[in-house]
Amino acid sequence: MLHDAGIAAIYQVEEGAGPPPAAPRLKEKTRQPVGEMTVGVTRFYSAAAAGKTVSRLIEIWRDDRIDVRDLCRIGARWYNIQQIVPTADDDGLLVTRLTLEETNGSAWEGEYGDQSG
């Protein structure tokens, strides 16, 4: 698969410094090209049954540091990472597939939405 659908930046959420309530900070873990995949019906309905939505399914090169507590930014949009699947693509190359749910006006968008890539 071609990874030509944009760049994904993955951020780790860190506790803020200072007295409570200190605002959490985001630390960039990785920045990678993205391959866009089709969200299947089974994945869509499984997420809906759990009260979640699936906005995107993407593929990046293998990165075992990514966690479901991390956030993903593609362009100006922010996503919660719902699922991480380390696998191999059709050519045998090691990749990671991420199931993403777009955030809806969270503090991250307001505070970090203007970061340029």
Side-chain angles (χ1 to χ4, degrees):
M1 166 181 285
L2 289 176
H3 291 183
D4 60 354
I7 300 292
I10 307 294
Y11 294 90
Q12 175 180 346
V13 180
E14 296 183 334
E15 289 186 32
R25 298 175 300 148
L26 296 181
K27 178 182 177 186
E28 186 174 307
K29 277 187 173 181
T30 187
R31 182 178 295 260
Q32 295 198 33
V34 173
E36 192 79 38
M37 301 183 73
T38 302
V39 177
V41 173
T42 303
R43 186 180 303 263
F44 180 82
Y45 283 110
S46 294
K52 301 205 178 250
T53 59
V54 175
S55 303
R56 293 176 94 165
L57 178 61
I58 64 169
E59 181 180 276
I60 60 174
W61 299 119
R62 176 70 60 88
D63 192 333
D64 294 326
R65 299 172 298 158
I66 298 172
D67 189 274
V68 292
R69 293 180 300 249
D70 295 337
L71 297 172
C72 176
R73 181 175 55 89
I74 302 173
R77 297 179 186 249
W78 288 86
Y79 300 89
N80 293 316
I81 300 172
Q82 289 184 344
Q83 184 180 39
I84 302 165
V85 179
T87 189
D89 68 6
D90 293 338
D91 297 320
L93 299 172
L94 298 178
V95 295
T96 300
R97 293 186 179 148
L98 301 175
T99 303
L100 304 175
E101 176 183 27
E102 189 168 0
T103 62
N104 56 358
S106 71
W108 306 117
E109 292 169 328
E111 189 169 347
Y112 299 99
D114 61 350
Q115 290 183 352
S116 59

